[in-house]
Amino acid sequence: MDFWSSIFGERKSETVAKVEELILDPLNEANQVIRRGNEKRALHLLERAPQDDLVAKCLLGMFYEFGVECDVDYLKAEQLYEQSKTAVDLSKCRLHDFRLNGRPCIKLNQKEAKKYKIKSLNWLKNLAQSWAPAQYAYAYCLQEGLGGGEKDLEKAKEYYGKAADGGLLLARTKLALLMWDDKKMADLLLSEAIMVDPRALVHLALLVMDEDNQEAVDYLRVAVKRKDVLGYYHLAVYYADELHDSHVAEQYFRLAASCGHVPSQLRMHEFLVKTDRQEEAIKFLDMAAEQGNPNAQYEMGNRLFEKEETTAIGFKWLLAAAEQDHVKAINIVGSAYAKGTAPGGANEDLAFQWFERGFNLNDAEATCHLGVCYLYGKGCCRSTMRGYELIESAFLEGKYSEAAIYLARCHLLGQSVGESREQALYWLQRAVNEYKSPRAQALFENKNLDESKDCTNVLALARLCLFSFFVTPAEVTKARDLYIEAALMENKTAIAELDDNFHELVACSDDVFCADVEIGGPSSMIEFAKSLHHQSENWEPTYALAQRVCMASLKDGIPGGPLLDRRSRLQIGY
C-alpha cells in the first residue's frame, strides 16, 4: 500500500484505508495482486473484470487517473468513477477531487470548465450534509475559493467544525489555522489533532513561536526526530532568519528538499545562487519544477528559452507554468506564438488564446497584447475599437507602461482613432515621463545629440510604426516615409537605420513603385532615391545610401537584396 500512500499526501490515511477496504475480499485475484504490490498484473486483471464489478471499476479508474503502469487517461478514469459511484464511496471522493481540480476540463473552454466546477461544488455541498470527509473537502473549497465559488472563511470554519465533530481529527488542524488569532482555542485544537496529524505539532510550534522561542524550537525538534518534513523546513527557517546560522539552516533545508518539499528546494536554490554555486542551484530548481511548482517551472523555462540550443525544453517548462496560470509565463508563451519564436513557428490562434487567458486573470500585459490581436484580427474577428479599449485599459487601469506605446501607435496609424502625430507623441512621452519605460526611451534614442527635437520625434515615429508583433505592408510604407523624412533633415541615425533596413522597407512596402524597385535592380533603386529627394537641395546622404544598397545587392546576386530582420536592427526592444 506504500504506492497509494505516496499519492494521497495529507489525506492518505483516510483514502488508503478506503482502498484497503475495497481489496479485503481474499477470493478476488486482483485484490491479492494489489496487496502484494504487483500493479502491472493488477491492471491486467482489473481491465478484464466483469462489467458489474463496480469495485474493480473504481480501482481501475485510479490506475488511469495516476498513470499506474499505463498512460494517464483522465477521461477514461472519470467514466469509470461515474459508473461505480452508486456503490463505492471512494469513487464519489475521487470523482469530486477529479472534477474540482479541473482534470476533465482540459478539453473544455473556460466557460464550460467554470460551469463544470460549480456543478461539482454543489454536488459536494449536498454530500457534506452528513458525511465528515465531504464536510472537510467542502470546507477546504470554501477556504480556498475552489470550484468556481467565492472564499468564505466563516463557512469554512463551520464545516471544518462539523467534520471534526464527526470524528475527522484532521479537520481540527485546519480549523486551528483558521482560528489562529484565538491562540487558546487553536492550541486546544492542535493538541487534540497531534494524535493523528503529525503536522499539528509543527503548527503548534509556530503558534507559540512569538511568545516562547525555546518551546517552539523544542516542538520542532520533536517533529524532526519523527522525520517530519515541515519540522525540517521550519527549523531551517528559524536558523536562517532568526539565528542567521546559514550552515545549520542549509543542512535542514537539504533534508526537507530531499523529501520533495518544494519551498525547501526553492530556498536551497536561492541560497546556492547567493553563494555562487550555480550548477547545484539549478538542480534544486529543477526538482521543484519537476514537482509542478509554477514559479520554478517559469524560472527554468525562462532561463532555457533564451538559449538557442535549449529553446524547445525551455518552452515546454514555460507552457507547464502557463497552464497553471502563471501570468509571466502566459505572456512569454503568447508572445512566442505571436512572434514565431515558439517551437513550430507562429500560431495566431494560440497567441490569442493565451493572451485571453492572461486577460481573464486581470493581467495588464496580456490585456494589452490581446488588444493588439483585436487591432489586426489575429486569432479573432477584427475590431479596432475593442483593441483600442483593451490597450487603453491596460495602461490606465493596469499601469502597464508599454500599453502607452501601443496607444501612440494607434494614433499614428489611425487605428480606431484619427491619425495624429501630436497624440502619438503625447502617449510616447507619457510612457517615458510617467513610467520611465526603457522601450519608449529607446524609440527616442538619437546618437546625434545636437539635432533638433523635431528630427528626433520623426525618427521615433518611424521606429514606432514597426513596434508590434504584427506589421502590415502599409505600416512598413509609413515607416519608410518617416525614415526618409528624418533623413532629409540630415539625421545620420535615420540614414544609418534606413541603410540597414533598406531592402525590407522597400520589399515590404505596399506602393507600386517599390514593387518595381524590388525587381528592377540597382538602376531602379537609384532612380527611386532621386525621385524621393527631388524636392531637397541636399540629398547626397541618401543618394549614397541607395548606391551602397545597390552594390550590396549586386554582390549578393539578388535583385533588391535580401530582406533583413528589422527587430534585430532597429533598437526598439524587440
Side-chain angles (χ1 to χ4, degrees), residues 128-149:
Q129 299 305 313
S130 58
W131 191 32
Q135 291 162 350
Y136 178 93
Y138 185 58
Y140 183 73
C141 294
L142 293 168
Q143 180 184 351
E144 300 296 330
L146 299 177

PDB file of all heavy atoms in Angstrom, residues 128-149:
ATOM      1  N   ALA A 128     -22.001  16.956   1.817  1.00  0.00           N
ATOM      2  CA  ALA A 128     -21.426  17.404   3.088  1.00  0.00           C
ATOM      3  C   ALA A 128     -22.454  17.570   4.191  1.00  0.00           C
ATOM      4  O   ALA A 128     -22.096  17.906   5.321  1.00  0.00           O
ATOM      5  CB  ALA A 128     -20.699  18.742   2.875  1.00  0.00           C
ATOM      6  N   GLN A 129     -23.720  17.318   3.902  1.00  0.00           N
ATOM      7  CA  GLN A 129     -24.741  17.472   4.942  1.00  0.00           C
ATOM      8  C   GLN A 129     -24.582  16.452   6.058  1.00  0.00           C
ATOM      9  O   GLN A 129     -24.924  16.727   7.211  1.00  0.00           O
ATOM     10  CB  GLN A 129     -26.145  17.348   4.311  1.00  0.00           C
ATOM     11  CG  GLN A 129     -26.449  18.406   3.264  1.00  0.00           C
ATOM     12  CD  GLN A 129     -26.275  19.823   3.790  1.00  0.00           C
ATOM     13  OE1 GLN A 129     -26.754  20.160   4.876  1.00  0.00           O
ATOM     14  NE2 GLN A 129     -25.589  20.662   3.024  1.00  0.00           N
ATOM     15  N   SER A 130     -24.008  15.280   5.711  1.00  0.00           N
ATOM     16  CA  SER A 130     -23.974  14.230   6.734  1.00  0.00           C
ATOM     17  C   SER A 130     -22.694  13.401   6.741  1.00  0.00           C
ATOM     18  O   SER A 130     -22.593  12.453   7.515  1.00  0.00           O
ATOM     19  CB  SER A 130     -25.169  13.288   6.530  1.00  0.00           C
ATOM     20  OG  SER A 130     -25.136  12.725   5.219  1.00  0.00           O
ATOM     21  N   TRP A 131     -21.733  13.723   5.893  1.00  0.00           N
ATOM     22  CA  TRP A 131     -20.538  12.866   5.780  1.00  0.00           C
ATOM     23  C   TRP A 131     -19.298  13.693   6.086  1.00  0.00           C
ATOM     24  O   TRP A 131     -19.013  14.689   5.413  1.00  0.00           O
ATOM     25  CB  TRP A 131     -20.467  12.290   4.366  1.00  0.00           C
ATOM     26  CG  TRP A 131     -19.452  11.192   4.199  1.00  0.00           C
ATOM     27  CD1 TRP A 131     -19.069  10.288   5.124  1.00  0.00           C
ATOM     28  CD2 TRP A 131     -18.691  10.922   3.021  1.00  0.00           C
ATOM     29  NE1 TRP A 131     -18.122   9.442   4.632  1.00  0.00           N
ATOM     30  CE2 TRP A 131     -17.872   9.811   3.322  1.00  0.00           C
ATOM     31  CE3 TRP A 131     -18.629  11.488   1.762  1.00  0.00           C
ATOM     32  CZ2 TRP A 131     -16.986   9.259   2.392  1.00  0.00           C
ATOM     33  CZ3 TRP A 131     -17.755  10.939   0.832  1.00  0.00           C
ATOM     34  CH2 TRP A 131     -16.953   9.831   1.135  1.00  0.00           C
ATOM     35  N   ALA A 132     -18.536  13.314   7.121  1.00  0.00           N
ATOM     36  CA  ALA A 132     -17.395  14.091   7.594  1.00  0.00           C
ATOM     37  C   ALA A 132     -16.330  14.351   6.516  1.00  0.00           C
ATOM     38  O   ALA A 132     -15.861  15.484   6.378  1.00  0.00           O
ATOM     39  CB  ALA A 132     -16.765  13.419   8.817  1.00  0.00           C
ATOM     40  N   PRO A 133     -15.898  13.341   5.721  1.00  0.00           N
ATOM     41  CA  PRO A 133     -14.893  13.618   4.682  1.00  0.00           C
ATOM     42  C   PRO A 133     -15.358  14.674   3.675  1.00  0.00           C
ATOM     43  O   PRO A 133     -14.574  15.511   3.234  1.00  0.00           O
ATOM     44  CB  PRO A 133     -14.701  12.258   4.003  1.00  0.00           C
ATOM     45  CG  PRO A 133     -15.052  11.266   5.057  1.00  0.00           C
ATOM     46  CD  PRO A 133     -16.176  11.892   5.814  1.00  0.00           C
ATOM     47  N   ALA A 134     -16.659  14.633   3.321  1.00  0.00           N
ATOM     48  CA  ALA A 134     -17.185  15.630   2.381  1.00  0.00           C
ATOM     49  C   ALA A 134     -17.235  17.011   3.042  1.00  0.00           C
ATOM     50  O   ALA A 134     -16.992  18.031   2.391  1.00  0.00           O
ATOM     51  CB  ALA A 134     -18.577  15.232   1.907  1.00  0.00           C
ATOM     52  N   GLN A 135     -17.537  17.036   4.353  1.00  0.00           N
ATOM     53  CA  GLN A 135     -17.538  18.307   5.074  1.00  0.00           C
ATOM     54  C   GLN A 135     -16.138  18.920   5.082  1.00  0.00           C
ATOM     55  O   GLN A 135     -15.961  20.133   4.894  1.00  0.00           O
ATOM     56  CB  GLN A 135     -18.030  18.088   6.510  1.00  0.00           C
ATOM     57  CG  GLN A 135     -19.511  17.742   6.583  1.00  0.00           C
ATOM     58  CD  GLN A 135     -19.907  17.109   7.908  1.00  0.00           C
ATOM     59  OE1 GLN A 135     -19.050  16.745   8.718  1.00  0.00           O
ATOM     60  NE2 GLN A 135     -21.209  16.946   8.129  1.00  0.00           N
ATOM     61  N   TYR A 136     -15.147  18.070   5.280  1.00  0.00           N
ATOM     62  CA  TYR A 136     -13.754  18.515   5.272  1.00  0.00           C
ATOM     63  C   TYR A 136     -13.393  19.074   3.891  1.00  0.00           C
ATOM     64  O   TYR A 136     -12.815  20.166   3.764  1.00  0.00           O
ATOM     65  CB  TYR A 136     -12.852  17.329   5.619  1.00  0.00           C
ATOM     66  CG  TYR A 136     -11.369  17.621   5.609  1.00  0.00           C
ATOM     67  CD1 TYR A 136     -10.702  18.005   6.765  1.00  0.00           C
ATOM     68  CD2 TYR A 136     -10.629  17.504   4.435  1.00  0.00           C
ATOM     69  CE1 TYR A 136      -9.332  18.260   6.761  1.00  0.00           C
ATOM     70  CE2 TYR A 136      -9.266  17.760   4.417  1.00  0.00           C
ATOM     71  CZ  TYR A 136      -8.631  18.137   5.572  1.00  0.00           C
ATOM     72  OH  TYR A 136      -7.288  18.395   5.570  1.00  0.00           O
ATOM     73  N   ALA A 137     -13.754  18.339   2.839  1.00  0.00           N
ATOM     74  CA  ALA A 137     -13.430  18.758   1.473  1.00  0.00           C
ATOM     75  C   ALA A 137     -14.161  20.048   1.096  1.00  0.00           C
ATOM     76  O   ALA A 137     -13.587  20.946   0.478  1.00  0.00           O
ATOM     77  CB  ALA A 137     -13.782  17.647   0.483  1.00  0.00           C
ATOM     78  N   TYR A 138     -15.431  20.137   1.488  1.00  0.00           N
ATOM     79  CA  TYR A 138     -16.213  21.331   1.163  1.00  0.00           C
ATOM     80  C   TYR A 138     -15.667  22.550   1.911  1.00  0.00           C
ATOM     81  O   TYR A 138     -15.601  23.658   1.366  1.00  0.00           O
ATOM     82  CB  TYR A 138     -17.679  21.104   1.521  1.00  0.00           C
ATOM     83  CG  TYR A 138     -18.592  22.242   1.111  1.00  0.00           C
ATOM     84  CD1 TYR A 138     -18.679  22.643  -0.216  1.00  0.00           C
ATOM     85  CD2 TYR A 138     -19.355  22.918   2.055  1.00  0.00           C
ATOM     86  CE1 TYR A 138     -19.505  23.696  -0.595  1.00  0.00           C
ATOM     87  CE2 TYR A 138     -20.186  23.973   1.686  1.00  0.00           C
ATOM     88  CZ  TYR A 138     -20.253  24.351   0.361  1.00  0.00           C
ATOM     89  OH  TYR A 138     -21.064  25.392  -0.021  1.00  0.00           O
ATOM     90  N   ALA A 139     -15.254  22.345   3.157  1.00  0.00           N
ATOM     91  CA  ALA A 139     -14.652  23.440   3.932  1.00  0.00           C
ATOM     92  C   ALA A 139     -13.384  23.943   3.251  1.00  0.00           C
ATOM     93  O   ALA A 139     -13.136  25.148   3.176  1.00  0.00           O
ATOM     94  CB  ALA A 139     -14.325  22.964   5.348  1.00  0.00           C
ATOM     95  N   TYR A 140     -12.596  23.009   2.725  1.00  0.00           N
ATOM     96  CA  TYR A 140     -11.360  23.394   2.036  1.00  0.00           C
ATOM     97  C   TYR A 140     -11.672  24.219   0.784  1.00  0.00           C
ATOM     98  O   TYR A 140     -10.986  25.194   0.481  1.00  0.00           O
ATOM     99  CB  TYR A 140     -10.556  22.149   1.665  1.00  0.00           C
ATOM    100  CG  TYR A 140      -9.237  22.459   1.004  1.00  0.00           C
ATOM    101  CD1 TYR A 140      -8.182  22.972   1.755  1.00  0.00           C
ATOM    102  CD2 TYR A 140      -9.049  22.262  -0.352  1.00  0.00           C
ATOM    103  CE1 TYR A 140      -6.966  23.283   1.158  1.00  0.00           C
ATOM    104  CE2 TYR A 140      -7.846  22.563  -0.956  1.00  0.00           C
ATOM    105  CZ  TYR A 140      -6.805  23.072  -0.193  1.00  0.00           C
ATOM    106  OH  TYR A 140      -5.605  23.376  -0.801  1.00  0.00           O
ATOM    107  N   CYS A 141     -12.729  23.828   0.066  1.00  0.00           N
ATOM    108  CA  CYS A 141     -13.153  24.583  -1.122  1.00  0.00           C
ATOM    109  C   CYS A 141     -13.552  26.014  -0.740  1.00  0.00           C
ATOM    110  O   CYS A 141     -13.206  26.979  -1.426  1.00  0.00           O
ATOM    111  CB  CYS A 141     -14.331  23.897  -1.806  1.00  0.00           C
ATOM    112  SG  CYS A 141     -13.924  22.300  -2.500  1.00  0.00           S
ATOM    113  N   LEU A 142     -14.287  26.131   0.360  1.00  0.00           N
ATOM    114  CA  LEU A 142     -14.707  27.455   0.825  1.00  0.00           C
ATOM    115  C   LEU A 142     -13.507  28.283   1.274  1.00  0.00           C
ATOM    116  O   LEU A 142     -13.451  29.493   1.060  1.00  0.00           O
ATOM    117  CB  LEU A 142     -15.699  27.308   1.982  1.00  0.00           C
ATOM    118  CG  LEU A 142     -17.057  26.688   1.632  1.00  0.00           C
ATOM    119  CD1 LEU A 142     -17.820  26.345   2.912  1.00  0.00           C
ATOM    120  CD2 LEU A 142     -17.880  27.629   0.759  1.00  0.00           C
ATOM    121  N   GLN A 143     -12.549  27.627   1.873  1.00  0.00           N
ATOM    122  CA  GLN A 143     -11.354  28.321   2.365  1.00  0.00           C
ATOM    123  C   GLN A 143     -10.515  28.881   1.214  1.00  0.00           C
ATOM    124  O   GLN A 143      -9.990  29.993   1.287  1.00  0.00           O
ATOM    125  CB  GLN A 143     -10.514  27.361   3.217  1.00  0.00           C
ATOM    126  CG  GLN A 143      -9.245  27.985   3.778  1.00  0.00           C
ATOM    127  CD  GLN A 143      -8.407  26.954   4.523  1.00  0.00           C
ATOM    128  OE1 GLN A 143      -8.826  25.825   4.765  1.00  0.00           O
ATOM    129  NE2 GLN A 143      -7.207  27.356   4.895  1.00  0.00           N
ATOM    130  N   GLU A 144     -10.387  28.081   0.133  1.00  0.00           N
ATOM    131  CA  GLU A 144      -9.507  28.466  -0.976  1.00  0.00           C
ATOM    132  C   GLU A 144     -10.245  29.087  -2.156  1.00  0.00           C
ATOM    133  O   GLU A 144      -9.612  29.526  -3.117  1.00  0.00           O
ATOM    134  CB  GLU A 144      -8.727  27.228  -1.461  1.00  0.00           C
ATOM    135  CG  GLU A 144      -7.858  26.592  -0.396  1.00  0.00           C
ATOM    136  CD  GLU A 144      -6.746  27.517   0.076  1.00  0.00           C
ATOM    137  OE1 GLU A 144      -6.290  28.350  -0.721  1.00  0.00           O
ATOM    138  OE2 GLU A 144      -6.339  27.408   1.248  1.00  0.00           O
ATOM    139  N   GLY A 145     -11.583  29.084  -2.117  1.00  0.00           N
ATOM    140  CA  GLY A 145     -12.336  29.626  -3.246  1.00  0.00           C
ATOM    141  C   GLY A 145     -12.263  28.740  -4.468  1.00  0.00           C
ATOM    142  O   GLY A 145     -12.213  29.229  -5.611  1.00  0.00           O
ATOM    143  N   LEU A 146     -12.249  27.429  -4.264  1.00  0.00           N
ATOM    144  CA  LEU A 146     -12.138  26.472  -5.375  1.00  0.00           C
ATOM    145  C   LEU A 146     -13.503  26.154  -5.970  1.00  0.00           C
ATOM    146  O   LEU A 146     -14.541  26.422  -5.368  1.00  0.00           O
ATOM    147  CB  LEU A 146     -11.487  25.171  -4.889  1.00  0.00           C
ATOM    148  CG  LEU A 146     -10.063  25.294  -4.342  1.00  0.00           C
ATOM    149  CD1 LEU A 146      -9.593  23.946  -3.826  1.00  0.00           C
ATOM    150  CD2 LEU A 146      -9.117  25.806  -5.419  1.00  0.00           C
ATOM    151  N   GLY A 147     -13.462  25.570  -7.141  1.00  0.00           N
ATOM    152  CA  GLY A 147     -14.685  25.094  -7.772  1.00  0.00           C
ATOM    153  C   GLY A 147     -15.596  26.191  -8.266  1.00  0.00           C
ATOM    154  O   GLY A 147     -16.791  25.991  -8.433  1.00  0.00           O
ATOM    155  N   GLY A 148     -15.046  27.381  -8.526  1.00  0.00           N
ATOM    156  CA  GLY A 148     -15.872  28.471  -9.041  1.00  0.00           C
ATOM    157  C   GLY A 148     -16.605  29.241  -7.957  1.00  0.00           C
ATOM    158  O   GLY A 148     -17.333  30.185  -8.251  1.00  0.00           O
ATOM    159  N   GLY A 149     -16.426  28.841  -6.699  1.00  0.00           N
ATOM    160  CA  GLY A 149     -17.098  29.542  -5.605  1.00  0.00           C
ATOM    161  C   GLY A 149     -16.232  30.643  -5.010  1.00  0.00           C
ATOM    162  O   GLY A 149     -15.042  30.724  -5.276  1.00  0.00           O
TER     163      GLY A 149
END
